[in-house]
Amino acid sequence: MGDTKTRTPARRAKTRAAQPEPETLVAYYRQMLLIRRFEERAARAYTEAKIGGYCHLNLGEEATVTGLMAALEPRDYLFTNYREHGYALARGIDARRVMAELYGRSTGVSKGWGGSMHMFDLESRLLGGYGIVGGQLPLATGAALAVSYKGGDEVVMCQMGDGTTNIGAFHESLNMAALWDLPVVFVVVNNGLGMGTTVENSSAEPELYRRAAAYRMEGARVDGTDVVAVREAARAAVERARAEKKPFLLETTSPRLRGHSVVDPARYRTAEEKDALKAADPLAHFGLALEEAGVLDAEAREKLDAEVKAEVDDAAAFADDSPHPDVSTLFDYTYATPVRGESRRLPADPVF
């Protein structure tokens, strides 16, 4: 289905791995379909002013998201950037709670106070989406240090976009992880564009996985449109981090189908580039491959699509019917434990 391009454990795992069972492939297809329909509904809700603030979608990245999450165990930790709706869904968080968070409702993943970019769910060990570019890297590295210090066998996965590889926190985090032998897998989702600037125009080394070599860290690049290839590459990296307590840098090439955010018309793309993206749609290609392999015929695909649309419609209705958080709860989660002298003054309140 695809291949990694380096002499790494990820490639060796790919070559010896057996093809997943048909039911597993169908489950991956359904997961990708759920992410696609959910994100399409989120884009629609944004235009209806039901979602406020920034909103970044995983459209086109469904295979990468599904493959990465399939490689993690329930006990492992996940840190993401602000493009995290699909990761929350693939990590097992109910679509209702994810959509409610986008709507800013109290039934959401972060009780309506986080919104699109800041989901957090301790039960699924999703330890946050982060709006600051690279803000998650030092925290993920710290979490891996805590695992190491406690002698645990959990692995931390830290997802980021390609633009993050040019900031200081990227290099600092990789350096510390390599120095201290931390069980963390850094994943760069390379969609070719840091907002509107191409990777080639912003990175002196556009093959981003090669940056691992500066820290004597293993790295690999994988076709992010191939869900099985992503799963195998990520699984090899996770298993190595768990067994050997070594960090890993995995790059997935996974072009996004739309602009950087829902308000970006992506005018920096030519008509030819847009046509090429549509032609390379990973969801359509995977569905066709399953049909040609006799795993999932056209009728079964239509049935799955109907089921997923109903699930997304239900999530949107649930979000619509859910209450907004009460203003009195604004400061409830500022700190994990009570802090003496903490200010809870609202903008209209008197200073003294």
Side-chain angles (χ1 to χ4, degrees), residues 77-80 118 120 127-132 134-147 156-159 169-170 172-174 176 182-184 186:
Y77 296 96
L78 174 66
F79 289 77
T80 74
H118 303 292
F120 184 99
L127 299 191
Y130 294 83
I132 296 175
Q136 70 275 25
L137 271 79
L139 299 177
T141 305
L145 176 61
V147 170
V156 177
M157 179 175 284
C158 181
Q159 173 264 10
F170 172 83
E172 294 160 0
S173 297
L174 264 66
M176 294 172 75
L182 302 182
V184 55
F186 299 103

Side-chain angles (χ1 to χ4, degrees), residues 74-109:
R75 66 185 184 277
D76 296 329
Y77 296 96
L78 174 66
F79 289 77
T80 74
N81 65 357
Y82 42 77
R83 198 182 302 277
E84 92 272 39
H85 310 162
Y87 292 92
L89 293 170
R91 197 64 178 143
I93 302 175
D94 189 276
R96 285 182 161 199
R97 295 179 63 212
V98 180
M99 189 69 80
E101 189 58 43
L102 297 185
Y103 280 47
R105 305 303 173 94
S106 61
T107 54
V109 178

